[in-house]
Amino acid sequence: MRDADTAADKHGSPRHASERQDSRNWSRRQTLASLASVGTLTLAGCSLRSALSGVQPLWERDFSSAMAASPPSATDEHVVVGGQDKRLHGFTADGERILTVETGGPIETRPAVPSSGGPVHVHSTDGDLYTVGLSGERLWHVEGQARDGWLGRHGSLLVGINSVDSVVTGYDAHDGTRRFQRSGRRYPYPTLSDSACLFPVTNSDDDTKLVTLAPETGEVLWELPPGKSYPYIVAAGDRIVTVHNSTVRMRRARDGHVLWRTAVDGDVTSIFGPPVWLGEHVYVRVRRDDRSDELVALERDGGTVRWRRSVGYEFETVTTTSQGVFAASSVEDPDGGVLIRLDAFALDGTRRWKTTTDIQIGGTVAALGRTGEILFTASDNELAAYDPATGERRWRYDPDSSRIGVTTADNALYVSYRDRGGVARLPTS
């Protein structure tokens, strides 16, 4: 999994702690918090405030002239991060600096990178798009007004959003040839897969439709009729899952044909991001006002509901593996504040373990991922690693930074120091 701070960063605006208190009544939250903090920790064999060891980075690089950094992005062998010093910084997985490229302004948004090799791409606050080879050479450059615009890369397709007029543009990542350009919306961001680029388009009546383009040519493959609401989307390979009005649909990417549809009992709505994930099963988040939220697993081939399990009182995000699924939610800390709760399930729905961590969050769960030998989760300013088999905490990283960004690639885990400028690699064991 790359770009692991997606729970807050990719999918929508984080809610603040005060907003949490308005969304559910206080008595329910206290009750669920007690259940979470008293009944779950013994399953993982640890206590809420257990004093476990910290961890030192495998390497750490500070940017001497930068007071801030962007979130990082990583390929299988490199990590890149933008700086407030108007430079794009790049390092090998071993920490050797490979590039320092000047841009026209500070870099605040996450660079876009392929899974392996280069080139890499970044928006600067001067509004321009820069494309750079891994040796530091500038390859192509587009002037524009996308000072904080989103960038996404999948295969040879690079997609950017102009932050002023919300125009969505697709480029050949290697030479900058424009493949398509369409009026869109600044949010939700496009969804990219091997077979499709999907994004919302809003008309003059403020109705929104889903438009699906071929990644190589920009040809319109299919569209959904416009409406007042936009479906939640996840895509992988030649399959696309959409969720609208609590109905889950599996579609073919090439033509949008519905292979199956399943109505899910409960409120399938977006709070922290799209409420659907695609792994060995299709996983759906269901909100419950009177009890803990639920994780529902549907068969990928036929859409049959396989199982549903309760998680925390505000279920936020999921990471999937070929052996099972991990869920992160938030629960009340009896001592005050909000903590991250983790749940682990086998593919058949068996609960392997659950634990309430001691990671305090002020908005949302900032990251959840599985890499190397660990499961990790993060708040805005600290990160902890857990044994995926037992839930026992391996280590905790509490850097001298009030804001971090997180990404993973090829069993490597990286953090950037958003408020002081720098990047580090953490162990994955």
Side-chain angles (χ1 to χ4, degrees), residues 57-96:
L58 299 177
W59 54 261
E60 187 175 49
R61 303 290 180 263
D62 289 325
F63 307 155
S64 59
S65 57
M67 300 300 294
S70 75
S73 289
T75 71
D76 57 349
E77 296 181 343
H78 306 89
V79 60
V80 293
V81 60
Q84 184 266 344
D85 57 0
K86 304 182 181 181
R87 297 184 176 104
L88 179 65
H89 302 264
F91 303 88
T92 66
D94 294 329
E96 178 185 354

Side-chain angles (χ1 to χ4, degrees), residues 27-305:
S27 61
R28 174 176 179 260
R29 293 173 61 173
Q30 286 183 313
T31 301
L32 292 172
S34 299
L35 291 174
S37 58
V38 173
T40 66
L41 297 178
T42 55
L43 292 177
C46 59
S47 63
L48 180 63
R49 296 295 182 186
S50 56
L52 298 178
S53 61
V55 70
Q56 293 297 315
L58 299 177
W59 54 261
E60 187 175 49
R61 303 290 180 263
D62 289 325
F63 307 155
S64 59
S65 57
M67 300 300 294
S70 75
S73 289
T75 71
D76 57 349
E77 296 181 343
H78 306 89
V79 60
V80 293
V81 60
Q84 184 266 344
D85 57 0
K86 304 182 181 181
R87 297 184 176 104
L88 179 65
H89 302 264
F91 303 88
T92 66
D94 294 329
E96 178 185 354
R97 182 180 287 274
I98 56 169
L99 64 87
T100 304
V101 178
E102 295 277 351
T103 68
I107 300 170
E108 299 175 348
T109 56
R110 184 188 298 278
V113 301
S115 58
S116 180
V120 299
H121 321 267
V122 69
H123 273 148
S124 168
T125 55
D126 65 354
D128 292 1
L129 167 61
Y130 297 84
T131 295
V132 178
L134 291 177
S135 298
E137 71 277 17
R138 292 192 185 186
L139 300 180
W140 53 272
H141 171 221
V142 176
E143 295 183 356
Q145 300 179 19
R147 64 183 309 271
D148 57 352
W150 176 87
L151 278 177
R153 171 85 187 265
H154 191 92
S156 66
L157 176 65
L158 175 71
V159 178
I161 300 178
N162 189 310
S163 55
V164 175
D165 55 18
S166 300
V167 169
V168 179
T169 305
Y171 304 93
D172 183 296
H174 296 282
D175 61 19
T177 300
R178 183 185 297 171
R179 293 183 178 177
F180 60 83
Q181 188 169 69
R182 296 284 298 265
S183 295
R185 283 176 46 173
R186 192 172 180 188
Y187 180 82
Y189 300 136
T191 300
L192 307 180
S193 75
D194 296 339
S195 305
C197 170
L198 307 97
F199 59 91
V201 173
T202 301
N203 61 24
S204 57
D205 296 326
D206 205 31
D207 291 334
T208 301
K209 65 180 178 180
L210 171 64
V211 176
T212 306
L213 304 183
E216 293 294 333
T217 64
E219 173 192 3
V220 177
L221 298 177
W222 51 274
E223 301 178 354
L224 292 183
K228 295 301 181 185
S229 59
Y230 181 74
Y232 309 114
I233 303 168
V234 63
D238 62 350
R239 292 291 183 264
I240 294 168
V241 180
T242 61
V243 181
H244 189 243
N245 294 333
S246 297
T247 296
V248 183
R249 293 174 174 86
M250 176 71 79
R251 301 176 183 269
R252 278 197 309 242
R254 68 176 182 270
D255 58 9
H257 174 73
V258 177
L259 301 172
W260 55 257
R261 60 171 54 83
T262 300
V264 176
D265 176 31
D267 180 13
V268 184
T269 56
S270 176
I271 309 170
F272 310 98
V276 59
W277 299 267
L278 188 55
E280 296 298 309
H281 300 313
V282 177
Y283 299 100
V284 179
R285 175 180 61 221
V286 175
R287 294 195 69 200
R288 295 294 185 185
D289 288 332
D290 57 345
R291 58 185 187 274
S292 296
D293 292 345
E294 292 178 323
L295 172 63
V296 180
L298 289 73
E299 287 184 355
R300 184 166 174 149
D301 290 336
T304 302
V305 175

